[in-house]
Amino acid sequence: MKKISLFIAMSLDGYIADSKGSVEWLTGQGNDEDNIDSYSEFVKDIDTVVMGWNTYHQIVTELSPEDWVYDDFTTYVVTHKQKKSSDKIHFVNKNPVELIKGNGIWICGGANLIQQLVRADIIDCYYITVIPTILGSGIRLFEKADHEIKLRLLKTQSYNGMMDLIYAKR
């Protein structure tokens, strides 16, 4: 069965963006010769990407302004903004917990969206890459929760100073 998965990187101290919202620090400790392509393996079972407005806006204005990098997937952008949807990108003003029904769903970001889904406990797998950087402040991946979520470690791998941690709900 396909699952609802969070696939994201964070700093060693738990931030997904610095205090200005930048992700320029998302690199390993050296050259990329020893990088492992965990992304290609992850997306084999994914057909849908869900993200918040800030993540979408950062992708189209900074990270990949020329090409939509998630063209192989159906994308839902959770936003209060009124935007015209296309065949591949759907702008929705819905509670993300109600939207996330189905299989093969990648929760791409941002923090507000992720925190709502963590509170609702509907994320099945957590794919988190820890970047060898301490930011000290910024946008946290996890905020205070109102309940405990127990996870089971499925896999770890290390490359270029980064650590992939893959967990499933127990």
Side-chain angles (χ1 to χ4, degrees):
M1 180 176 98
K2 295 180 184 176
K3 300 180 191 270
I4 298 169
S5 301
L6 172 65
F7 184 91
I8 199 161
M10 71 176 190
S11 64
L12 183 60
D13 54 347
Y15 296 99
I16 59 173
D18 67 19
S19 59
K20 295 177 183 167
S22 174
V23 293
E24 291 180 13
W25 53 272
L26 285 175
T27 59
Q29 65 189 13
N31 62 32
D32 290 339
E33 289 176 9
D34 63 345
N35 270 353
I36 296 172
D37 186 10
S38 54
Y39 173 82
S40 294
E41 186 64 30
F42 169 75
V43 296
K44 285 181 181 176
D45 293 328
I46 298 297
D47 54 32
T48 304
V49 177
V50 179
M51 65 184 67
W53 171 259
N54 290 341
T55 300
Y56 168 79
H57 187 259
Q58 186 172 46
I59 291 168
V60 299
T61 60
E62 290 176 46
L63 304 176
S64 183
E66 302 299 319
D67 297 308
W68 180 241
V69 293
Y70 302 123
D71 203 39
D72 294 337
F73 314 105
T74 300
T75 301
Y76 290 91
V77 179
V78 180
T79 181
H80 297 292
K81 298 180 184 297
Q82 298 294 318
K83 298 287 286 181
K84 184 172 171 50
S85 295
S86 67
D87 289 341
K88 286 291 192 175
I89 304 172
H90 305 276
F91 297 94
V92 294
N93 184 4
K94 293 179 97 173
N95 178 331
V97 175
E98 295 171 12
L99 174 68
I100 308 297
K101 301 216 187 318
N103 295 313
I105 298 174
W106 169 13
I107 309 305
C108 182
N112 186 352
L113 173 72
I114 292 166
Q115 290 161 16
Q116 290 178 64
L117 300 176
V118 167
R119 278 192 298 275
D121 197 13
I122 63 172
I123 298 174
D124 298 306
C125 291
Y126 293 77
Y127 294 75
I128 299 173
T129 300
V130 179
I131 306 298
T133 299
I134 296 174
L135 293 175
S137 67
I139 300 171
R140 281 213 170 276
L141 175 55
F142 300 112
E143 289 292 338
K144 292 180 183 176
D146 57 1
H147 65 284
E148 179 180 28
I149 299 174
K150 292 187 182 281
L151 304 174
R152 180 178 75 250
L153 181 64
L154 300 177
K155 181 180 178 183
T156 64
Q157 60 186 8
S158 175
Y159 54 95
N160 198 9
M162 300 180 288
M163 177 66 81
D164 287 343
L165 305 168
I166 304 172
Y167 292 96
K169 284 196 307 189
R170 285 195 252 165

